[in-house]
Amino acid sequence: MKKLNKNGRNVPVVCSDVAGIALAYKRRRRVLTYKLLTYIAVSAGALAMLMMLGNLWMNLLAGALLGGAGVLALVYAVEWFTFVTAGSGRHVYMFGNGLAFSEEKDMQFCEELAAEGYALVAVNGFGYYKFKRTQPEAWSFSVDYSDVAPAGDGFADYIAIFQSGGWEYICSCDTIHWFRAPVGTTPIYTDNTSLAQKYEKLRRHSVWSAVTGLAVAVVSFVLLWIFFSSASLPVAILLGVLLGAGIGIALVMGWGIVLNHRRVLRLKKRATI
């Protein structure tokens, strides 16, 4: 169940009773279980193809499929395990949708988890959001991309600017920073010019990620091409996994770069009108 705040954004209704919290928990656990089983099945099928096929191109295809599905299976395995054991005091880890092209979805699921009793405490470089079990609360979340790291000069002044607008600092991952505020607080960015600058910084972050993924894919492909006839099955599988993971990262981040470039152009055009 959701409602609209004064900024027109959907905000989850806080689960104020035990039954509501239990229902939300079961629903999220069921979705995670379906996703995990799906990617395990795809990974198993790709592995079977690798073990039966002898053609290089088919092996590359099966290896790429195994790499992509295997990474996603691992991602959801971590989510599923931490989520089903959250009652024992463990933290919950949830994989983000990708800030490069779905920032709004990431902020939305942070709000949903806060309403279900999970408070955001950290985000790591692998894209996992770390939550701790707490009382259900209603918060709005926002993320900002800057040139200042937590250990750098001027970080305290940077945070103070957001605090003056009612936004509480939560955590950082390098130069990406997360904030929360009571529902209805004025958004961090309210004009097209500053929004364009924000997404230009996000675009630069995405470029480095795309280049890294592409480099991993190219190196894996070259090694698999050179050593295909002599490589053992475990080595071929490893190279296939790296190839698939690298291609997946490059494609996803490349699409994010395109989307943010178009977003920046639209915002700059609106700012000049």
Side-chain angles (χ1 to χ4, degrees):
M1 184 177 179
K2 299 176 181 179
K3 62 182 180 180
L4 291 175
N5 64 14
K6 71 177 186 179
N7 298 314
R9 181 173 178 175
N10 284 324
V11 178
V13 176
V14 172
C15 297
S16 57
D17 59 280
V18 175
I21 293 174
L23 181 62
Y25 172 82
K26 289 180 180 179
R27 183 175 61 250
R28 195 170 293 278
R29 184 181 62 184
R30 183 170 61 250
V31 171
L32 288 176
T33 301
Y34 289 156
K35 288 181 178 180
L36 175 59
L37 292 177
T38 298
Y39 288 114
I40 287 177
V42 175
S43 300
L47 180 59
M49 289 174 60
L50 267 176
M51 297 180 69
M52 291 186 297
L53 299 174
N55 179 272
L56 173 61
W57 295 108
M58 292 302 294
N59 273 41
L60 287 175
L61 176 61
L65 182 60
L66 176 61
V71 168
L72 289 171
L74 179 61
V75 163
Y76 288 116
V78 172
E79 286 192 16
W80 185 88
F81 177 77
T82 60
F83 195 73
V84 298
T85 58
S88 62
R90 296 177 184 270
H91 287 89
V92 172
Y93 288 86
M94 299 292 288
F95 197 70
N97 295 287
L99 292 174
F101 55 95
S102 59
E103 173 190 311
E104 191 71 16
K105 288 184 178 179
D106 278 20
M107 299 305 101
Q108 188 68 42
F109 88 70
C110 286
E111 293 170 359
E112 291 174 357
L113 284 166
E116 295 170 18
Y118 299 92
L120 177 64
V121 293
V123 182
N124 64 32
F126 295 103
Y128 279 105
Y129 287 68
K130 181 180 180 181
F131 298 87
K132 68 176 181 180
R133 200 74 174 91
T134 184
Q135 293 297 316
E137 296 179 312
W139 291 101
S140 290
F141 288 81
S142 188
V143 63
D144 188 49
Y145 318 96
S146 74
D147 299 318
V148 183
D153 295 335
F155 185 71
D157 294 334
Y158 167 80
I159 295 299
I161 295 174
F162 294 94
Q163 289 177 336
S164 65
W167 289 89
E168 175 188 343
Y169 170 69
I170 304 173
C171 61
S172 298
C173 180
D174 193 19
T175 56
I176 304 176
H177 315 288
W178 281 262
F179 301 85
R180 70 178 186 180
V183 174
T185 302
T186 302
I188 290 177
Y189 294 98
T190 55
D191 63 279
N192 293 319
T193 300
S194 59
L195 274 172
Q197 293 172 348
K198 170 185 175 178
Y199 290 116
E200 280 181 343
K201 294 174 183 176
L202 175 57
R203 186 175 58 187
R204 291 199 296 269
H205 281 282
S206 302
V207 167
W208 284 110
S209 298
V211 169
T212 301
L214 183 61
V216 170
V218 170
V219 171
S220 301
F221 176 80
V222 171
L223 291 175
L224 196 57
W225 180 280
I226 294 174
F227 300 109
F228 175 71
S229 59
S230 60
S232 62
L233 181 60
V235 173
I237 291 175
L238 174 62
L239 291 174
V241 168
L242 291 175
L243 174 63
I247 291 174
I249 292 172
L251 289 176
V252 169
M253 301 310 297
W255 179 237
I257 292 169
V258 172
L259 289 180
N260 280 294
H261 177 69
R262 294 172 62 183
R263 179 185 288 172
V264 168
L265 291 179
R266 286 197 302 269
L267 290 168
K268 285 183 175 179
K269 183 178 180 178
R270 292 173 187 170
T272 58
I273 296 176

